[in-house]
Amino acid sequence: MQSHAADNENNIPINQTRSLPPAEENWKPQPQRNSTNNTAAASSAPVPAVNNSIPEKERQHIAERLLRVMCADLGALSVVNGKDFLKLAQTLVDTGARYGSFSVNEILGNMNTLALKHLPRMYNQVKVKVTCALGSNVCLGIGVTCHSQSVGPDSCYILTAYQAEGNQIKRYVLGIKDVDNRDSGEFIHQWVQNVLSEFVMSEIRTVYVTDCKVNSSAFSKVGTCLRCSACSLNSVVQSVLNKRTLQARNMHEVIELLNVTEELAGSTGIARETFGSLEESSPPPCWNSVTDSLLLVHERYEQICEFYSRAKKLNIIQNLNKHLLSNLAAILAPVKHAVIELGNERKPTLQLVLPTYVKLEKLFTSKANDAGIISKLCHLFLEALKENFKVESAHKVAMILDPQQKLRPVPPYQHEEIISKVCELIHEVRDGVEETEFEAPAKKPRQSTETTKVQEDDRLGKNEVYDYLQEPLFQVTPDLFQYWSSVSQKHIHLSKLAFWLLAVPAVGTRSECVNMCEQTLLIKRRRLLSPEDMNKVMFLKSNML
């Protein structure tokens, strides 16, 4: 920007008008500073320092304009130093260097109109790239999340496609839709199918991950439908610690504890920022549990006591049942930790769902034998876990595809069932990828029963599965996609299955979804864009990089 501005000062007359001059008279191609034609000139003439190429008065004028932009919208704080804003500024400087000084309003007109005029062309360019990426899927299987995100009374759905590319999980936001609470699950399902039909082939196999508001039965007709694991665990906790439920079961001390911890955590002096947090990661946006206040107070109990003793407000601390707080935190902390682990956005998580269920079941069972109210709560948690945290076939198959786990987390009597599920999916994937190989064979002479059984096992992939299971378990957590890439020739069908299922997330929403929905709903409220243009802009924002 600075070098081109210097060229402007040298080549543009002071009394030049503020409209574009005729190209044949005033347009002069600017010399390339790094071109071979100017090498000699560049070596003989001293290059002025970059910092001195623009007078200080002009810098102050630019800074003042930037501050006005920032003050008009604080969201611009992160925009004005971004690479896209700098490229825009550089483009304007370059245009001024070529054509002379001109009025932006007169020549370019309304900036929003100019940008939206070219929105369809740019949207189609990016859409082609996303469609080609999803069409190059070697295992003919993707993961699709359809999850709502609430912002105040309003909410919107974000539709995202996931697939493995190389050794990484790539995600593509395909659509965003603000939703009326009166819209049925069937309406959402129809919207999802309409959007998907624009990006992927109809024969591609899909695992859907949805929240509890979506009608899963509608999605099950066109693919496998799983419930978001964070939403499921949130339902487990909410159903047990619901104050009406606790009151009906005469658990008044738990209600009182929840009220006190909410009051402490909500006070200005006990904000999480005051004492910090022991958490390294945050839970996904759909985790909205009543336990957060309780765990925060337990986490910083000593600092809170010290804070209130200095403020001489010990009566609040005296109302806190420390024994019940510790016991309840010992139950709830592993649940929240499991949600954070399942919501990891940088690595596969679907293989962790069944082991998470087993761990929590063991935790609640072990503490159900304790005396008092904790025992009652753990029995309630066990019931809620079975009712709300459903483990599907895809979760079981994903677990076996982790070479550090395989069948270890589950008891032996479940092994054959899981292996048969793996073989079913292998057969489905193999039919899609190599459908010509599995045409009906010509009739052959009758063979022995034993020979026929061996051939059937081989056809269903059982031999490959048993060979894989006989290999020793990994002692450290592997990079799953790197592992399956390295054994793709040895375990051909299992590796294809792994690249499909392990790209499917256990949790249907991500940290960035909150910001995307806030922006979408803000655009809607201010009527800045039509719903169609808003969807295209958010699509570009998510997939253009």
Side-chain angles (χ1 to χ4, degrees):
M1 288 172 63
Q2 295 162 348
S3 63
H4 284 295
D7 292 338
N8 286 348
E9 290 184 355
N10 295 329
N11 293 312
I12 300 172
I14 296 175
N15 60 352
Q16 186 176 4
T17 59
R18 296 183 64 81
S19 61
L20 279 178
E24 64 271 18
E25 295 179 9
N26 291 327
W27 182 81
K28 295 180 180 180
Q30 296 302 306
Q32 298 288 331
R33 290 189 178 273
N34 296 326
S35 66
T36 55
N37 296 334
N38 296 319
T39 305
S43 60
S44 59
V47 179
V50 174
N51 291 339
N52 297 327
S53 59
I54 296 180
E56 184 61 28
K57 191 173 183 180
E58 293 298 324
R59 286 180 176 279
Q60 291 177 3
H61 184 63
I62 293 172
E64 185 178 309
R65 292 296 176 189
L66 285 173
L67 285 172
R68 288 179 180 275
V69 171
M70 291 178 178
C71 293
D73 184 359
L74 294 179
L77 286 169
S78 59
V79 173
V80 294
N81 204 39
K83 63 179 182 179
D84 291 314
F85 182 84
L86 294 178
K87 287 180 180 178
L88 170 63
Q90 186 66 60
T91 302
L92 292 173
V93 170
D94 291 347
T95 305
R98 292 189 183 98
Y99 300 108
S101 178
F102 60 87
S103 168
V104 173
N105 285 337
E106 291 177 9
I107 302 303
L108 300 181
N110 184 288
M111 290 293 191
N112 282 349
T113 304
L114 177 65
L116 293 177
K117 181 180 178 181
H118 295 274
L119 175 61
R121 177 183 60 83
M122 207 163 176
Y123 170 78
N124 287 331
Q125 288 178 350
V126 177
K127 182 179 178 181
V128 167
K129 292 180 181 179
V130 173
T131 304
C132 290
L134 293 174
S136 64
N137 192 299
V138 293
C139 59
L140 289 180
I142 60 172
V144 172
T145 61
C146 178
H147 202 291
S148 66
Q149 180 62 51
S150 297
V151 180
D154 301 316
S155 62
C156 62
Y157 274 90
I158 299 180
L159 181 66
T160 311
Y162 291 76
Q163 71 174 10
E165 295 181 14
N167 293 336
Q168 293 183 328
I169 299 175
K170 290 284 290 183
R171 58 175 176 256
Y172 302 96
V173 175
L174 305 184
I176 300 177
K177 185 173 184 60
D178 60 288
V179 180
D180 193 316
N181 291 330
R182 293 169 294 181
D183 290 334
S184 64
E186 186 62 38
F187 174 82
I188 299 300
H189 169 258
Q190 192 60 50
W191 169 71
V192 170
Q193 296 307 312
N194 289 340
V195 175
L196 282 179
S197 65
E198 298 181 18
F199 292 93
V200 297
M201 301 175 294
S202 58
E203 61 266 24
I204 199 165
R205 288 167 178 79
T206 307
V207 175
Y208 295 94
V209 180
T210 66
D211 61 11
C212 56
K213 299 177 184 177
V214 174
N215 183 5
S216 59
S217 60
F219 284 97
S220 299
K221 297 175 183 177
V222 291
T224 303
C225 187
L226 310 176
R227 190 178 178 188
C228 168
S229 295
C231 291
S232 297
L233 287 175
N234 196 45
S235 298
V236 170
V237 175
Q238 297 281 13
S239 63
V240 174
L241 297 184
N242 181 283
K243 291 182 180 179
R244 289 185 178 179
T245 303
L246 294 172
Q247 193 169 11
R249 296 177 182 275
N250 294 321
M251 296 184 179
H252 302 292
E253 55 267 59
V254 179
I255 298 175
E256 185 178 352
L257 176 64
L258 293 175
N259 289 335
V260 173
T261 52
E262 283 178 11
E263 182 181 354
L264 287 172
S267 63
T268 55
I270 313 301
R272 186 175 293 274
E273 292 77 10
T274 306
F275 301 118
S277 173
L278 298 179
E279 290 180 8
E280 295 182 1
S281 305
S282 299
C286 55
W287 172 259
N288 183 25
S289 174
V290 295
T291 64
D292 284 348
S293 299
L294 185 145
L295 291 174
L296 174 61
V297 172
H298 177 263
E299 181 184 58
R300 296 299 180 183
Y301 181 76
E302 299 300 331
Q303 291 94 326
I304 291 173
C305 289
E306 183 180 350
F307 177 85
Y308 275 99
S309 63
R310 288 178 181 176
K312 297 182 179 179
K313 295 181 179 179
L314 291 176
N315 59 317
I316 299 179
I317 299 297
Q318 290 170 353
N319 293 331
L320 192 64
N321 188 333
K322 180 66 168 61
H323 178 72
L324 181 58
L325 174 67
S326 299
N327 285 324
L328 203 49
I331 298 173
L332 297 174
V335 178
K336 186 173 183 179
H337 176 74
V339 170
I340 293 173
E341 193 175 37
L342 291 168
N344 191 308
E345 298 174 9
R346 294 184 294 274
K347 60 183 183 180
T349 52
L350 196 69
Q351 78 283 0
L352 302 176
V353 175
L354 177 53
T356 296
Y357 180 94
V358 173
K359 288 178 187 175
L360 294 179
E361 186 180 42
K362 289 180 178 177
L363 171 70
F364 298 148
T365 302
S366 65
K367 293 188 175 295
N369 297 324
D370 294 350
I373 196 168
I374 292 298
S375 175
K376 296 180 182 178
L377 284 172
C378 283
H379 279 100
L380 294 176
F381 274 117
L382 278 171
E383 292 177 12
L385 187 71
K386 293 175 182 177
E387 182 178 349
N388 295 286
F389 194 48
K390 302 294 184 182
V391 177
E392 307 291 348
S393 297
H395 297 134
K396 299 174 182 179
V397 175
M399 178 196 69
I400 207 175
L401 294 171
D402 183 349
Q404 191 183 21
Q405 297 186 127
K406 296 186 179 177
L407 291 168
R408 183 173 57 178
V410 295
Y413 71 87
Q414 295 183 11
H415 290 185
E416 279 302 320
E417 177 202 350
I418 297 176
I419 291 172
S420 65
K421 296 293 183 185
V422 175
C423 293
E424 286 177 17
L425 282 178
I426 283 179
H427 191 52
E428 285 185 24
V429 172
R430 190 163 60 174
D431 276 352
V433 178
E434 307 166 358
E435 56 186 8
T436 57
E437 185 180 331
F438 292 94
E439 295 175 357
K443 291 185 178 181
K444 295 182 179 180
R446 178 176 291 181
Q447 298 173 321
S448 66
T449 306
E450 185 176 350
T451 306
T452 305
K453 184 179 185 303
V454 170
Q455 290 179 342
E456 181 70 10
D457 287 350
D458 183 57
R459 190 179 72 83
L460 294 175
K462 276 193 175 182
N463 293 343
E464 185 178 326
V465 175
Y466 283 121
D467 289 344
Y468 163 68
L469 291 175
Q470 287 173 1
E471 296 172 3
L473 290 170
F474 274 53
Q475 299 304 312
V476 294
T477 304
D479 183 317
L480 293 179
F481 291 125
Q482 188 173 350
Y483 166 78
W484 284 108
S485 293
S486 66
V487 298
S488 59
Q489 297 302 316
K490 183 180 180 181
H491 303 305
I492 298 174
H493 303 108
L494 275 175
S495 63
K496 291 185 184 299
L497 186 59
F499 274 98
W500 171 25
L501 286 185
L502 295 179
V504 180
V507 173
T509 186
R510 306 179 309 281
S511 55
E512 64 196 48
C513 290
V514 177
N515 181 254
M516 291 175 65
C517 281
E518 286 176 348
Q519 292 177 343
T520 299
L521 294 170
L522 180 64
I523 291 172
K524 177 189 174 184
R525 283 196 296 269
R526 294 183 178 179
R527 298 180 180 178
L528 301 176
L529 298 171
S530 67
E532 183 181 357
D533 285 344
M534 176 194 69
N535 190 68
K536 289 180 178 178
V537 168
M538 298 306 291
F539 176 84
L540 291 178
K541 173 183 171 63
S542 305
N543 302 308
M544 201 160 43
L545 298 180

